[in-house]
Amino acid sequence: MDFFNTLTYKEVLELIEKKYSDICIESEDINILDSLGRVLSEDIISPEDLPHFNRSTVDGYSVISNDTFGASEAIPSIHKIVEKIEMGKKSKMSLSSGEAAYIPTGAMVPKNSDAVVMIEHSELLSEDEVALYKGVAHLENIIKAGDDISKGAKIIQKGKKIRPQEIAILASVGIDKVKVRKKIKCTIISTGDELIDINEKIEEGKIRDINTYAIEAMLKDCGCEVMSKVVLKDTKSLFEKTLKEAISKSDLVLISGGSSVGDRDHTYDVIKSMGEVFVHGISIKPGKPTILGVSEKTAIVGLPGHPGAAISVFEVVVKAIINKLEKCSAKKRVGVYKISTNVHSAPGKHTIQLVKIEKERAIPILGKSSMISCLSEADGYIEIPMDSEGLYKEQEVNVNFF
Amino acid sequence: MDFFNTLTYKEVLELIEKKYSDICIESEDINILDSLGRVLSEDIISPEDLPHFNRSTVDGYSVISNDTFGASEAIPSIHKIVEKIEMGKKSKMSLSSGEAAYIPTGAMVPKNSDAVVMIEHSELLSEDEVALYKGVAHLENIIKAGDDISKGAKIIQKGKKIRPQEIAILASVGIDKVKVRKKIKCTIISTGDELIDINEKIEEGKIRDINTYAIEAMLKDCGCEVMSKVVLKDTKSLFEKTLKEAISKSDLVLISGGSSVGDRDHTYDVIKSMGEVFVHGISIKPGKPTILGVSEKTAIVGLPGHPGAAISVFEVVVKAIINKLEKCSAKKRVGVYKISTNVHSAPGKHTIQLVKIEKERAIPILGKSSMISCLSEADGYIEIPMDSEGLYKEQEVNVNFF
């Protein structure tokens, strides 16, 4: 086996940028209602103005602003009502001086009109005559065509993960289809002689296959598609065959090692025989025995066997890989909190510490790293850089939310 | 029409608690892999111990700790190797004094053994004899059966929204099915003579139906099921018929008013004719013209017509209703940030201000409240309570992440 140095977390992130830059997930056209959580693979340019016409922001009377100059409670300006504009209808008139048109909020301002007087400042004198008690400035109470979004403007950038907000914007300018990355195709391979499935009867010595479930759930949560999942006994030849097939049909292969001795090496050997291994050990805690490799257009990750460690590595390493493959610009949701107690970290290691938020404090969830029961308590995690020796009580930390 | 006072946001949250307490979404049994994002409707009690047996946390030799008392580099304790325990296999032996068994990490500790000496502190003398250079204490390097999760313990509480972490815990104790709330059945009704669909050609005077899309996306994002969506012209009789049908088949009906004059009143009248209206106007900004009602077992919400306002009200009001119906205990993801500029708020109103996060500062996204283009920039929002006059630059604020 080759000699490998454990890499720092920063080095690993740089390698992810570099080594996976040739893998690019294809695009597909999709209806905007099916696009939630998908990553845009094109900039969105507005095909039209929003609003599409000059629009009133109030209920009132549409006028030529000059006509109302000097109007006040004492000396109103008197206008002839020439139109009652309806919602959704095109205004038919072009206003002349001394004329006004009744207009509801959101309706189209008639030609020549450049301001709207609010209904509160008006008094109907007769069916076709209104007194306006307040002067309005040019464009007062009007949104001009294109004021919100102008035709040809870039309204959403490539790489954005689509949320309901983006769907609202797309709908607002009449875009019903967008180009997004296809879902990342994933295969999960779990190895270990000791693994039994969750619906088998537990026996002494056996361990339930937690990772296949946890990894599938995390992948789905990231919007990936799990093509297949395989649980293998620890034999190298079976593993070789399975990995080869997985590579041929997946963009991303996640391997969860059993805890048998020698497992890790044989994961390494087999990945290497099919491509390149560029990370074999990361100075993070938990998660040291992580392997990253690439074979043609497939990213391959060997995750630590312990579920707590596998979940942590997924958060800080696999999510970075997924973002890289999808060319996604999504930011992490991070909150600054004061930490409730001193926290010791492993010197020389990038430490991932689960925390829960209570009373506006981040509370570290301590306990042996092997504790699975801790997972449900956690609202997120903090990262303690390798050059720090730990955190002091009340120090401010960035909490990454799950 | 009845006289209604605008209620404060706090009063509205209290009314949601009270008026919707009779509506309860039914439960269903679901495979854990399909349970992501669903709300548990039962406490989860572990049916077994985790680990299921005393387990070694290191590679080494399983011994009786007393035998190693005083062992050191200078004076090792010598043990007869009686077994080589394999992963996934039940240990066959019961150790006697002076004996040891080779054990890999995660494997089952043999009967009578109460500690494991790490392999680093051992030296094989012959095939069946090992020297141990370090004494171990009772239970050193062992996780006892049930140490992580004990049989009968409550491991996840009712009301929790299931994340990958919860799926890992469920798998770890062999639970493959859980009871969760069914998806909330929703109907969306949009009214307005001016509305045209996003794939129609835009005309002057017309406005694209943004809200039906935005609301459907937000509901899906919350894990709800949109049963049907209807876009109506503004006629009361059609609205009555549609609402009646919606109530009969939905847990939650969301009505998005057009902006036509009188719209709001007729929404109010029709809801009232079918049940109770208990909120008619909230002192929040944006979102004042919000209506909340109930008819038998259906929650009814009238949202403001403007998409920006509708999205804000969804965040702070509709999400509270969804949590109430599902009896969900999920916390908001909130981060404390300093605000980049002074922000004026509307006195007497609970103000919802969109913000983006940049350089560890919350930056308010200003612009007319009618701007749809602002939505995509926002990472979340802050709430300014009604008794505050605004925020000072550098003041700490709670950012609610989208």
Side-chain angles (χ1 to χ4, degrees), chain A residues 168-188:
Chain A
I169 295 174
L170 292 166
S172 76
V173 292
I175 296 174
D176 61 348
K177 273 198 161 53
V178 284
K179 229 179 245 320
V180 296
R181 299 281 163 207
K182 286 187 176 171
K183 289 188 173 195
I184 296 181
K185 295 191 208 70
C186 303
T187 299
I188 305 167

Side-chain angles (χ1 to χ4, degrees), chain A residues 44-265:
Chain A
I44 303 292
I45 308 297
S46 178
E48 57 192 44
D49 279 336
L50 179 74
H52 194 62
F53 47 84
N54 294 351
R55 204 162 142 185
S56 177
T57 59
V58 295
D59 292 342
Y61 287 90
S62 199
V63 295
I64 295 167
S65 60
N66 266 344
D67 288 355
T68 66
F69 182 74
S72 68
E73 287 289 334
I75 314 160
S77 73
I78 311 293
H79 294 248
K80 190 179 172 212
I81 303 173
V82 292
E83 191 183 6
K84 193 168 186 279
I85 301 163
E86 286 176 73
M87 279 304 290
K89 298 267 170 71
K90 192 173 163 169
S91 157
K92 292 166 219 124
M93 308 286 295
S94 171
L95 282 199
S96 302
S97 182
E99 294 179 341
Y102 170 77
I103 190 166
T105 307
M108 181 175 173
V109 173
K111 227 181 236 174
N112 279 348
S113 168
D114 68 338
V116 177
V117 179
M118 288 172 79
I119 198 141
E120 291 88 322
H121 305 128
S122 74
E123 186 182 1
L124 265 184
L125 302 177
S126 70
E127 209 164 273
D128 60 358
E129 212 175 30
V130 66
L132 303 177
Y133 293 102
K134 195 165 176 286
V136 276
H138 179 57
L139 295 180
E140 198 166 329
N141 299 324
I142 284 180
I143 307 184
K144 281 191 78 179
D147 245 8
D148 193 341
I149 294 173
S150 59
K151 187 175 169 172
K154 189 195 286 184
I155 47 175
I156 314 178
Q157 277 205 313
K158 192 154 93 171
K160 185 105 191 177
K161 188 165 258 190
I162 296 174
R163 306 170 298 172
Q165 286 84 343
E166 278 69 41
I167 292 178
I169 295 174
L170 292 166
S172 76
V173 292
I175 296 174
D176 61 348
K177 273 198 161 53
V178 284
K179 229 179 245 320
V180 296
R181 299 281 163 207
K182 286 187 176 171
K183 289 188 173 195
I184 296 181
K185 295 191 208 70
C186 303
T187 299
I188 305 167
I189 304 174
S190 299
T191 66
D193 293 331
E194 74 283 17
L195 297 180
I196 61 167
D197 193 41
I198 57 169
N199 37 40
E200 287 180 73
K201 200 178 165 319
I202 188 83
E203 281 171 49
E204 288 190 320
K206 300 289 184 192
I207 294 170
R208 295 201 176 278
D209 174 22
I210 305 169
N211 280 1
T212 306
Y213 287 85
I215 295 168
E216 179 168 3
M218 288 186 289
L219 287 170
K220 279 185 178 171
D221 203 34
C222 289
C224 298
E225 189 180 351
V226 178
M227 309 287 290
S228 70
K229 26 185 188 168
V230 196
V231 182
L232 293 181
K233 298 286 168 200
D234 268 333
T235 69
K236 193 168 166 180
S237 62
L238 195 55
F239 181 52
E240 259 172 348
K241 188 170 159 280
T242 309
L243 181 58
K244 199 164 184 177
E245 202 188 320
I247 288 171
S248 74
K249 62 180 181 189
S250 318
D251 304 309
L252 174 61
V253 178
L254 294 176
I255 302 157
S256 159
S259 29
S260 320
V261 179
D263 239 27
R264 228 180 294 159
D265 300 345

Side-chain angles (χ1 to χ4, degrees), chain A residues 363-382:
Chain A
I363 301 171
I365 298 173
L366 302 168
K368 298 178 198 166
S369 69
S370 52
M371 290 291 189
I372 289 167
S373 48
C374 297
L375 288 172
S376 184
E377 273 185 86
D379 295 313
Y381 63 92
I382 57 175

Side-chain angles (χ1 to χ4, degrees), chain A residues 314-330:
Chain A
F314 196 99
E315 283 293 329
V316 301
V317 176
V318 180
K319 283 192 173 175
I321 296 173
I322 291 173
N323 279 346
K324 173 68 187 170
L325 298 186
E326 292 183 325
K327 304 199 189 309
C328 173
S329 59

Side-chain angles (χ1 to χ4, degrees), chain B residues 227-286:
Chain B
M227 309 288 289
S228 70
K229 26 186 186 167
V230 196
V231 182
L232 293 181
K233 298 286 168 201
D234 270 331
T235 67
K236 194 169 168 180
S237 62
L238 195 56
F239 180 53
E240 259 172 348
K241 188 171 159 279
T242 308
L243 181 58
K244 198 165 186 176
E245 201 188 319
I247 288 170
S248 74
K249 63 180 182 190
S250 320
D251 304 308
L252 173 61
V253 178
L254 294 175
I255 302 158
S256 159
S259 28
S260 320
V261 179
D263 241 24
R264 227 180 295 160
D265 299 345
H266 105 201
T267 303
Y268 166 80
D269 289 340
V270 174
I271 301 174
K272 190 158 180 291
S273 73
M274 296 183 195
E276 183 193 353
V277 172
F278 56 88
V279 174
H280 191 185
I282 310 178
S283 22
I284 55 176
K285 189 188 170 193

Side-chain angles (χ1 to χ4, degrees), chain B residues 141-185:
Chain B
N141 298 324
I142 284 181
I143 307 183
K144 281 191 76 178
D147 245 7
D148 193 341
I149 295 173
S150 58
K151 187 175 169 172
K154 189 195 284 184
I155 47 176
I156 314 177
Q157 278 205 311
K158 194 155 90 172
K160 185 104 190 177
K161 187 166 257 191
I162 296 174
R163 306 168 301 171
Q165 286 84 343
E166 278 70 42
I167 292 178
I169 295 173
L170 292 165
S172 76
V173 293
I175 296 174
D176 61 348
K177 274 198 161 52
V178 285
K179 229 179 245 319
V180 297
R181 298 282 164 208
K182 287 188 177 171
K183 289 188 173 193
I184 296 181
K185 295 192 207 71

